[in-house]
Amino acid sequence: TVIGPGTFSITSLAGYPLVSPASASPATISVNASGQYSFTGYSPDTFTYDFTDLLNAGLIGNATPKFSCTSASASLSNSPVGCMTQPCETGASYIYNFGFWRKYGGWWQVVGGPVYARQNIQSTIPASLPGNMYLILPGTTAHQGLAVYGGSLTLGSNPNAQVNANNTSVQSVYNSNSIYNYEFFRNKLSGKTADTWSNKNQLPAYSDGSGKGYMLLRSTDGTASNFSSPINVAAGEKYVLLTTGNVNISDNITIASGGTLIIITDQSINFSAAVTRADGWYLADSMITIASTGDETTEQRFLGNGSFVAHGGIVPDRDRGVTNNIESSSLFTYRTDLLQNAPDAIKFPYQRYAPYVP
């Protein structure tokens, strides 16, 4: 049902004005906070509904009703035969009820990879999706994905929402003395010679002068890196960026097949509202934030391709209004080629998970 207050419009097919509210056709009808409305018209006539105003006001998720209890239009048809003077029908009343898709808030989705949270996983999967109502969609491989969580897994009130096609999830937390954070990778790369990185706000032109097979960019001064221009990593180019201080990204990052970009920081990684695509490995000891414009009409979808890890949590803040009803505001796609292209110095064995004990 509609929860107002709000308005919608109706149009008389016969061209009659309304009796109440006194108005020419088309007319504006008010809906109260309980979703109730009323109008009085001449008979015989048929009135068509237009719920666009309710949609634009954010009260419903689609201008087309999900269902109509009587019909999609109102017909006043009990006038006496032969009546030629309006009003011909008095005292008759009709009830027309409509149900609407709810308007969903911003939510996120994953393609072809796992989701892990030491605490909670939460994404509201809309019942209005035209296709699979999954948190994790299959990618180019047959991998269905897996949700692993230590606290709770919440997909909203949609009874058809699932983790994946097999609805596979595990309540568990990793059991290890190792924490794969900035310090772990700093120690792992401590014996590697760093390449020259004179400007923290851009990647240097690629050059593997030391013969490592990748460029290692290291900074320990604690200042932020502010990438404000597009970054395009070509095939064969492999960057590992190891830095203290926040990493702020305000333009798109693309990586060709055969390339790699790995960004590791002891602080946060922040994607501005202007970023629509970010390829790569991203690891932050604090937060990864995907900023919003704050305006549903200008919000753009975030496409993250690779791996996104934040020990303080990931905040996919985007909200695209009624577009949320048909697709997620943030979509994360696992790229196996980025794993394959990663330098051996970055790779490490898989982690064993212990059964969850509440």
Side-chain angles (χ1 to χ4, degrees):
T1 58
V2 174
I3 301 299
T7 62
F8 66 90
S9 65
I10 61 171
T11 300
S12 162
L13 295 187
Y16 297 140
L18 289 188
V19 176
S20 175
S23 175
S25 176
T28 298
I29 304 300
S30 296
V31 178
N32 67 21
S34 298
Q36 297 174 333
Y37 69 94
S38 67
F39 67 90
T40 303
Y42 289 109
S43 173
D45 199 354
T46 298
F47 295 88
T48 60
Y49 292 74
D50 184 348
F51 298 109
T52 303
D53 288 347
L54 293 173
L55 175 68
N56 292 338
L59 297 174
I60 57 177
N62 195 301
T64 301
K66 180 181 179 182
F67 61 83
S68 304
C69 292
T70 306
S71 71
S73 60
S75 295
L76 312 185
S77 57
N78 287 340
S79 295
V81 176
C83 176
M84 301 298 293
T85 304
Q86 292 285 355
C88 293
E89 177 182 359
T90 60
S93 63
Y94 305 83
I95 297 175
Y96 293 86
N97 292 326
F98 299 91
F100 294 90
W101 292 109
R102 61 174 283 192
K103 177 187 171 185
Y104 286 84
W107 58 288
W108 55 273
Q109 200 170 30
V110 170
V111 177
V115 178
Y116 171 77
R118 191 170 184 85
Q119 295 298 323
N120 305 323
I121 295 175
Q122 180 175 349
S123 185
T124 302
I125 311 297
S128 54
L129 285 182
N132 297 330
M133 301 177 191
Y134 302 151
L135 176 69
I136 306 174
L137 297 170
T140 55
T141 68
H143 192 284
Q144 295 292 329
L146 173 68
V148 183
Y149 59 98
S152 63
L153 172 65
T154 305
L155 301 180
S157 59
N158 175 9
N160 296 315
Q162 296 186 166
V163 171
N164 51 36
N166 298 320
N167 205 23
T168 311
S169 63
V170 178
Q171 190 171 28
S172 179
V173 293
Y174 64 77
N175 180 21
S176 175
N177 293 325
S178 297
I179 299 176
Y180 303 124
N181 56 7
Y182 168 85
E183 187 67 16
F184 175 88
F185 287 101
R186 185 190 70 81
N187 291 331
K188 209 169 190 308
L189 297 169
S190 61
K192 304 298 182 180
T193 302
D195 294 278
T196 301
W197 188 23
S198 57
N199 184 351
K200 286 192 68 175
N201 296 330
Q202 64 184 38
L203 295 182
Y206 189 78
S207 175
D208 181 20
S210 60
K212 296 188 298 295
Y214 61 95
M215 286 190 73
L216 174 60
L217 309 179
R218 182 188 288 125
S219 174
T220 58
D221 62 11
T223 61
S225 300
N226 300 299
F227 296 108
S228 58
S229 299
I231 295 175
N232 299 292
V233 178
E237 297 181 350
K238 301 180 180 182
Y239 291 92
V240 178
L241 190 158
L242 190 66
T243 183
T244 57
N246 292 329
V247 177
N248 303 313
I249 300 168
S250 54
D251 213 324
N252 289 352
I253 297 177
T254 58
I255 301 175
S257 179
T260 283
L261 171 63
I262 300 171
I263 296 179
I264 302 171
T265 176
D266 68 346
Q267 298 297 318
S268 294
I269 299 174
N270 305 300
F271 296 96
S272 80
V275 179
T276 59
R277 175 176 173 175
D279 300 351
W281 277 20
Y282 300 91
L283 188 152
D285 281 5
S286 185
M287 309 286 291
I288 290 180
T289 301
I290 300 165
S292 167
T293 63
D295 182 351
E296 296 173 352
T297 63
T298 61
E299 194 84 282
Q300 300 184 79
R301 196 182 198 193
F302 178 84
L303 300 177
N305 304 307
S307 297
F308 296 76
V309 179
H311 292 280
I314 298 177
V315 182
D317 238 358
R318 301 201 177 174
D319 186 345
R320 301 169 70 210
V322 296
T323 306
N324 297 326
N325 283 44
I326 58 174
E327 68 178 19
S328 59
S329 289
S330 296
L331 182 69
F332 301 91
T333 301
Y334 183 64
R335 278 184 56 173
T336 56
D337 65 310
L338 296 184
L339 172 62
Q340 294 165 352
N341 297 334
D344 290 340
I346 288 292
K347 298 176 183 178
F348 53 90
Y350 67 88
Q351 176 61 55
R352 182 176 68 86
Y353 286 81
Y356 174 77
V357 180

